[in-house]
């Protein structure tokens, strides 16, 4: 079995390298109705009746789809032109905070580093506009515990716990002053201290049992759950460090578009039109429920547009319009319009059928804020890392026409991609399409969401107060 796995890995690598030599960005982002990127009409490996690919079983076909994405993602130029804006370390404005924090998190949060971070919760934490180095060190070690427990590296996990204990016991005085409410942060840290001891105990207990035994599994499950609780409190701690009244800078010309000033949580429920169940590796469910965090710190205009449409009920009862192994996509309403028809922005204008359009919005690590209406290559900065990368399964991106940066309206996609195949700094989506959030719960449902499945409901469950409506 191990030999077969090795052969398959080698076979996949050969396909991957072949695809890398022949794929192009245009091939990965085919045109739709007729011009929307990430359409359902074509794909890099199109499957047509009578073609040889029709005879390939679903598992192999999905593998080829994944390799096709990987091949396409390996075509971006890595040339870096110019330096990231220099930020004075002595300034304490909100903008300099974001520049400092994004630079310090660069290796962990994107494909530009030595490893690929695929954890959506971690990516969202690194995307927060904070600059406390002690809490970033705490975050790194808490997240390492999760990785070590998952791979049963128990000794390494216990070493990570020692580092976590040292930080929360000796560095509290350097973390609390960064919080909006010092008492809230002190209480969070006190609660974290209480969770570390039982986590350490469960890990030590797992070492006493035979590898693979039920007892070992129980202790590791307990460790994993305790780490998860610790990680949630870490998120609360870091969110408390976002400066009061912080606003990501957005040019005034976009004030007539909705903007998200912070984050919002959106919950979607989907069903199959025939009443069948979603099948996730043998686990059946009549409905697919996904929870998404929409990030207005990184994508205030894109995130605001999405949350506004959710609040309007735009996505309710809408079909999934594409599901091909690359992406799951929706947002194209019935009728001739290809997006939401509403009052347009004066600076961006309206689409052919009156669609409200939004500008392309890209936030590069180390910058003071997003830049608009151009790609990272247009700016001469290809290969630089974005604040929120497309490196997590279910990363959310905004669809647009390939050669029109300001053509997005209401269509968006969830990316179905294993980022282990993404070489560092070679992701052609980062910097060309805005990543505005991640699925943090229920992402596995994306594996069985198909064209024609229905979004029964989409609603904002947290952060609705962060949506700022346009100034007309």
């Amino acid at each position: 079995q191990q030999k077969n796995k090795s052969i398959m890995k080698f076979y996949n690598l050969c396909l991957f390298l072949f695809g890398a030599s022949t794929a192009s960005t245009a091939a990965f982002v085919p045109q739709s109705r007729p011009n929307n990127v990430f359409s359902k009409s074509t794909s890099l490996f199109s499957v047509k009746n009578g073609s040889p690919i029709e005879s390939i079983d679903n598992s192999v076909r999905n593998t080829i789809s994944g390799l096709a994405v990987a091949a396409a993602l390996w075509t971006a130029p890595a040339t870096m032109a110019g330096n990231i804006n220099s930020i004075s370390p002595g300034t304490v404005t909100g903008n300099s905070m974001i520049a400092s924090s994004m630079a310090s998190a660069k290796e962990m949060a994107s494909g530009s580093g030595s490893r690929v971070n695929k954890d959506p919760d971690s990516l969202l934490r690194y995307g927060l506009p904070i600059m406390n180095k002690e809490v970033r060190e705490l975050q790194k070690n808490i997240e390492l515990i999760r990785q070590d427990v998952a791979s049963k590296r128990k000794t390494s996990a216990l070493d990570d716990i020692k580092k976590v204990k040292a930080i929360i016991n000796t560095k509290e005085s350097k973390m609390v002053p960064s919080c909006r409410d010092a008492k809230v942060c002190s209480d969070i840290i006190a609660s974290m201290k209480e969770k570390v001891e039982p986590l350490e105990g469960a890990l030590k207990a797992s070492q006493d049992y035979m590898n693979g035994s039920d007892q070992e599994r129980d202790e590791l499950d307990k460790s994993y759950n305790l780490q998860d609780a610790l990680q949630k409190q870490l998120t609360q701690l870091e969110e408390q460090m976002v400066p009061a009244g912080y606003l990501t800078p957005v040019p005034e010309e976009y004030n007539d578009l909705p903007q998200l000033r912070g984050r919002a949580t959106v919950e979607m429920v989907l069903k199959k039109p025939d009443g069948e169940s979603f099948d996730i590796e043998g686990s059946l469910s009549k409905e697919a429920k996904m929870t998404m965090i929409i990030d207005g710190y990184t994508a205030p205009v894109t995130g605001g547009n999405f949350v506004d449409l959710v609040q309007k009920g735009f996505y309710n009862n809408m079909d999934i319009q594409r599901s091909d192994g690359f992406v799951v996509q929706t947002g194209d309403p019935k009728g001739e319009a290809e997006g939401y028809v509403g009052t347009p922005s004066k600076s961006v204008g309206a689409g052919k059928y009156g669609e409200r359009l939004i500008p392309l919005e890209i936030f590069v690590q180390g910058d003071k804020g997003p830049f608009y209406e151009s790609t990272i290559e247009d700016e001469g900065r290809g290969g630089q890392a974005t604040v929120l990368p497309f490196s997590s399964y279910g990363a959310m991106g905004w669809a647009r026409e390939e050669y029109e940066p300001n053509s997005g309206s209401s269509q968006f996609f969830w990316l179905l991609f294993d980022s282990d195949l993404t070489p560092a700094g070679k992701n052609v989506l980062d910097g060309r399409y805005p990543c505005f959030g991640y699925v943090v719960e229920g992402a596995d449902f994306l594996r069985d969401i198909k064209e024609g499945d229905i979004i029964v409901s989409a609603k904002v469950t947290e952060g609705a107060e962060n949506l700022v409506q346009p100034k007309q």
Side-chain angles (χ1 to χ4, degrees):
Q1 184 177 4
Q2 186 62 38
K3 181 178 179 181
N4 290 338
K5 287 183 180 179
S6 298
I7 293 172
M8 181 57 70
K9 286 182 179 179
F10 177 74
Y11 172 72
N12 287 346
L13 178 61
C14 291
L15 281 178
F16 175 49
L17 293 174
F18 172 76
S21 66
T22 59
S24 68
T25 306
F28 177 60
V29 288
Q31 313 261 317
S32 80
R33 272 185 53 183
N35 296 319
N36 275 356
V37 170
F38 297 110
S39 74
K40 61 185 180 183
S41 58
T42 58
S43 65
L44 187 60
F45 285 93
S46 62
V47 180
K48 299 180 180 179
N49 292 333
S51 72
I53 295 180
E54 279 293 347
S55 63
I56 300 177
D57 65 25
N58 287 334
S59 62
V60 176
R61 193 178 306 163
N62 289 339
T63 299
I64 292 175
S65 295
L67 290 167
V69 179
L73 294 186
W74 208 357
T75 61
T79 304
M80 297 180 66
N83 296 320
I84 295 176
N85 296 338
S86 60
I87 307 297
S88 170
T91 60
V92 293
T93 63
N95 290 340
S96 65
M97 284 183 179
I98 211 172
S100 175
S101 65
M102 297 315 159
S104 66
K106 183 174 182 179
E107 286 296 310
M108 296 297 292
S110 181
S112 65
S114 58
R115 73 176 184 88
V116 178
N117 188 349
K118 302 194 295 182
D119 181 352
D121 293 305
S122 171
L123 292 168
L124 287 165
R125 281 190 287 271
Y126 278 114
L128 287 169
I130 61 177
M131 59 179 299
N132 187 287
K133 65 179 183 180
E134 285 78 20
V135 83
R136 289 303 192 197
E137 185 66 18
L138 179 63
Q139 175 181 343
K140 182 183 74 172
N141 286 287
I142 287 177
E143 291 175 357
L144 284 173
I145 296 171
R146 189 181 193 88
Q147 297 170 34
D148 290 336
V149 170
S151 57
K152 298 174 72 170
R153 295 193 296 263
K154 302 172 190 178
T155 301
S156 294
L158 288 169
D159 287 341
D160 298 331
I161 290 175
K162 289 179 182 178
K163 294 174 183 177
V164 168
K165 289 170 69 174
I167 293 170
I168 60 178
N169 287 327
T170 65
K171 303 295 184 181
E172 179 176 354
S173 62
K174 293 187 177 181
M175 291 188 285
V176 170
S178 295
C179 297
R180 297 191 303 275
D181 188 322
K183 185 179 184 308
V184 170
C185 281
S186 293
D187 291 344
I188 292 172
I189 292 173
S191 181
M192 293 175 76
K193 291 178 181 178
E194 294 175 357
K195 288 181 173 60
V196 172
E197 294 300 332
L199 171 58
E200 186 175 34
L203 268 172
K204 287 181 177 178
S206 72
Q207 292 180 315
D208 297 332
Y209 297 110
M210 185 179 299
N211 187 37
S213 66
D214 289 342
Q215 295 92 334
E216 183 205 39
R217 188 178 301 111
D218 289 342
E219 294 299 334
L220 288 176
D221 286 345
K222 187 186 299 182
S223 301
Y224 196 86
N225 291 333
L226 286 166
Q227 190 280 340
D228 188 61
L230 191 64
Q231 196 164 261
K232 285 181 169 60
Q233 290 193 309
L234 171 68
T235 298
Q236 296 172 2
L237 179 63
E238 292 190 359
E239 287 174 343
Q240 264 291 319
M241 293 182 177
V242 177
Y246 175 84
L247 296 177
T248 300
V250 176
E252 290 185 3
E253 56 261 38
Y254 306 129
N255 285 346
D256 55 0
L257 289 168
Q259 295 182 25
L260 185 62
R261 296 303 194 175
R263 287 179 173 171
T265 303
V266 172
E267 183 181 281
M268 278 191 180
V269 177
L270 298 91
K271 291 186 177 180
K272 292 190 174 294
D274 52 12
E276 292 187 1
S277 298
F278 292 92
D279 186 348
I280 309 301
E281 297 182 353
S283 179
L284 303 181
S285 178
K286 283 293 184 182
E287 63 180 26
K289 183 182 291 185
M290 296 190 295
T291 302
M292 295 151 277
I293 302 294
I294 310 305
D295 186 26
Y297 294 125
T298 301
V301 175
T302 310
N305 188 61
F306 178 74
V307 171
D308 179 58
L309 293 176
V310 170
Q311 292 280 63
K312 284 177 164 62
F314 178 79
Y315 297 107
N316 293 346
N317 300 312
M318 182 172 285
D319 291 354
I320 296 298
Q321 292 131 17
R322 178 178 179 177
S323 177
D324 56 10
F326 299 118
V327 297
V328 171
Q329 181 171 326
T330 189
D332 186 355
K334 297 185 188 312
E336 60 183 6
E338 297 179 4
Y340 169 72
V341 176
T343 304
S345 166
K346 293 178 181 178
S347 63
V348 181
K352 182 178 179 180
Y353 299 105
E355 297 94 338
R356 182 178 75 187
L357 304 179
I358 61 172
L360 176 59
E361 180 177 47
I362 304 296
F363 202 152
V364 175
Q365 287 183 12
D367 283 2
K368 298 178 181 180
F371 59 80
Y372 292 85
E373 306 195 22
S374 61
T375 68
I376 201 166
E377 262 72 36
D378 293 337
E379 298 291 314
R381 304 173 64 182
Q384 292 187 10
T386 53
V387 175
L388 290 190
F390 283 99
S391 63
S392 176
Y393 186 88
M396 302 177 70
W398 209 254
R400 62 176 179 85
E401 294 179 14
E402 185 176 354
Y403 301 109
E404 295 293 337
N406 297 346
S407 55
S409 177
S410 58
Q411 295 192 44
F412 71 96
F413 59 90
W414 293 278
L415 184 64
L416 312 182
F417 179 59
D418 186 346
S419 58
D420 282 340
L421 295 176
T422 310
K426 298 287 188 177
N427 190 328
V428 300
L429 295 185
D430 290 345
R432 292 177 176 86
Y433 302 90
C435 179
F436 64 98
Y438 299 106
V439 179
V440 295
E441 294 179 16
D444 283 346
F445 282 114
L446 290 168
R447 304 181 192 279
D448 195 36
I449 292 177
K450 308 298 183 185
E451 289 182 26
D453 290 348
I454 300 168
I455 300 173
V456 177
S457 66
K459 59 183 179 181
V460 180
T461 58
E462 293 181 39
E465 70 279 3
N466 295 328
L467 179 65
V468 177
Q469 289 296 342
K471 298 177 182 178
Q472 303 293 346

